[in-house]
Amino acid sequence: MEVLGRPEVVLEGIDHKIHDDPAAYRATVAQIKYDTNSLGALVTTHKLDLFAAAEDMFDYFDRYAQVTRELSSISKRDGRLEGHAKDPITAGLSLEHIIEPGYFARTGGHILCLGAGGSALATLLHLIHKPDKADRPERFIAVNRSEERLTHMRHMVAQYDTDINMEYLVNSDPRQNDALMAALPEGSIVINATGMGKDTPGSPITDDGLFPLNSIAWEFNYRGELDFMHQAQRQVESRNVRVEDGWVYFVHGWSQVVGQVLHIEITPELFRRLDEAAATTR
Ligand SMILES: NC(=O)c1ccc[n+]([C@@H]2O[C@H](COP(=O)([O-])OP(=O)(O)OC[C@H]3O[C@@H](n4cnc5c(N)ncnc54)[C@H](OP(=O)(O)O)[C@@H]3O)[C@@H](O)[C@H]2O)c1
């Protein structure tokens, strides 16, 4: 808040149970809506549930919130309550931090995304919207434990005319994920968006799984056991794997939402200063 020039603004947490009672979500939204001292909120785990419970209480949703039916940002403008889904923007900014323009045309790499929840969906939406074909992978394989998330992803993709070849696989067997990795071209990006290694123990691949040569392993988390990340780190030299974690994603996520709530544009210079401040607490 000091970096943003608003030191008087304090951050306060509101805890909800996973899949909380809709009335509890509505009470939280009501507090923000009617209390002039509550400026807005960043929503984590409850993005889909909160949207479903309180959709009618909002006066505006951005396009991404409408398409994904989730929201990560609650803010106010001229007395209106607004909901934004910032994840496609923040996942995109994070990916752009990792790869340079034209990456997919240069490498011919594909994307294997293990986990098809909110963050996977956000990454895919970002890629679908890239105007230059060189910035879109030829193929995006989404793997998820249950069918439901893949169906949601399929419905979302159907709303766009995309040339990315989509593959949807229901699987939670790490050996099958190893086989999928082995079949990827060089330069591909393998994402751990399952939460395994932080939210649940383990990794979606086995210790024997080989990353493609010259590939990128992107672990969406930055804390926890991070087994997937450690597996990838063991192949940095032997297979020239570049390993990225979720720290930049995290800093973009927070700065985009706080910027929306306070109506401050997060310029690259401001982001650099926020990133610096965040690094001191890492
Ligand atoms: N660094 C950051 O700022 C940042 C930002 C966003 C997310 N993340 C992290 O990224 C992870 C994913 O976030 P999210 O919002 O996408 O969560 P999410 O919506 O809960 O999605 C996780 C998905 O992974 C699936 N899954 C779990 N274990 C699996 C396995 N073994 N094989 C295949 N699929 C599996 C789940 O399937 P089911 O449908 O069966 O449950 C679920 O659909 C979380 O740990 C989160 O903390 C970090």
Side-chain angles (χ1 to χ4, degrees):
M1 290 305 165
E2 270 170 34
V3 171
L4 295 170
R6 296 290 304 273
E8 78 286 4
V9 178
V10 290
L11 288 174
E12 243 178 53
I14 300 180
D15 283 328
H16 280 280
K17 286 186 305 208
I18 301 269
H19 302 308
D20 209 348
D21 194 341
Y25 290 123
R26 292 182 72 82
T28 290
V29 174
Q31 177 185 327
I32 297 164
K33 184 167 174 157
Y34 300 114
D35 170 20
T36 48
N37 282 328
S38 297
L39 304 180
L42 175 143
V43 182
T44 61
T45 317
H46 311 275
K47 293 168 196 171
L48 282 159
D49 289 330
L50 189 138
F51 185 102
E55 181 179 357
D56 62 302
M57 298 173 77
F58 285 80
D59 303 298
Y60 167 85
F61 287 117
D62 74 345
R63 174 83 185 121
Y64 284 142
Q66 289 170 22
V67 170
T68 58
R69 297 192 59 76
E70 64 174 49
L71 58 88
S72 53
S73 162
I74 302 175
S75 58
K76 296 193 231 184
R77 190 189 290 275
D78 305 328
R80 298 185 327 154
L81 191 69
E82 302 192 330
H84 291 78
K86 292 288 185 189
D87 291 13
I89 297 166
T90 55
L93 287 167
S94 318
L95 184 61
E96 276 160 17
H97 172 83
I98 295 173
I99 58 172
E100 72 286 356
Y103 178 85
F104 292 106
R106 185 177 64 74
T107 63
H110 298 171
I111 292 190
L112 170 61
C113 188
L114 304 171
S119 57
L121 203 64
T123 306
L124 176 59
L125 255 183
H126 164 78
L127 290 164
I128 287 175
H129 282 93
K130 288 307 283 184
D132 187 343
K133 187 169 173 46
D135 296 323
R136 298 190 298 268
E138 192 187 307
R139 190 162 72 123
F140 187 106
I141 310 168
V143 179
N144 203 68
R145 186 170 53 187
S146 64
E147 176 79 50
E148 199 189 334
R149 293 301 184 87
L150 293 171
T151 304
H152 183 52
M153 188 178 261
R154 242 196 213 102
H155 284 149
M156 188 204 71
V157 171
Q159 298 180 48
Y160 296 97
D161 179 24
T162 182
D163 59 1
I164 301 174
N165 293 306
M166 293 296 307
E167 278 174 38
Y168 306 93
L169 275 164
V170 178
N171 173 47
S172 58
D173 177 356
R175 285 164 308 180
Q176 202 176 329
N177 291 334
D178 289 357
L180 289 169
M181 277 208 306
L184 290 171
E186 284 186 27
S188 290
I189 303 178
V190 184
I191 299 174
N192 178 22
T194 62
M196 291 185 84
K198 179 186 142 246
D199 306 332
T200 56
S203 163
I205 59 167
T206 76
D207 282 343
D208 296 329
L210 288 181
F211 283 84
L213 287 172
N214 310 319
S215 59
I216 296 175
W218 188 10
E219 162 61 65
F220 271 177
N221 281 305
Y222 60 90
R223 61 191 170 92
E225 296 298 318
L226 304 176
D227 309 54
F228 171 87
M229 196 176 96
H230 297 306
Q231 288 167 321
Q233 276 165 341
R234 291 198 284 275
Q235 297 179 37
V236 165
E237 284 186 9
S238 57
R239 308 207 39 97
N240 195 27
V241 177
R242 184 141 63 87
V243 184
E244 300 284 345
D245 72 3
W247 178 257
V248 173
Y249 194 170
F250 165 68
V251 182
H252 274 304
W254 273 86
S255 49
Q256 283 298 317
V257 173
V258 173
Q260 182 68 48
V261 170
L262 300 181
H263 304 295
I264 295 172
E265 189 198 345
I266 307 297
T267 60
E269 167 55 16
L270 199 46
F271 179 77
R272 192 192 56 72
R273 289 176 53 214
L274 290 167
D275 190 27
E276 233 171 61
T280 63
T281 69
R282 189 169 185 180

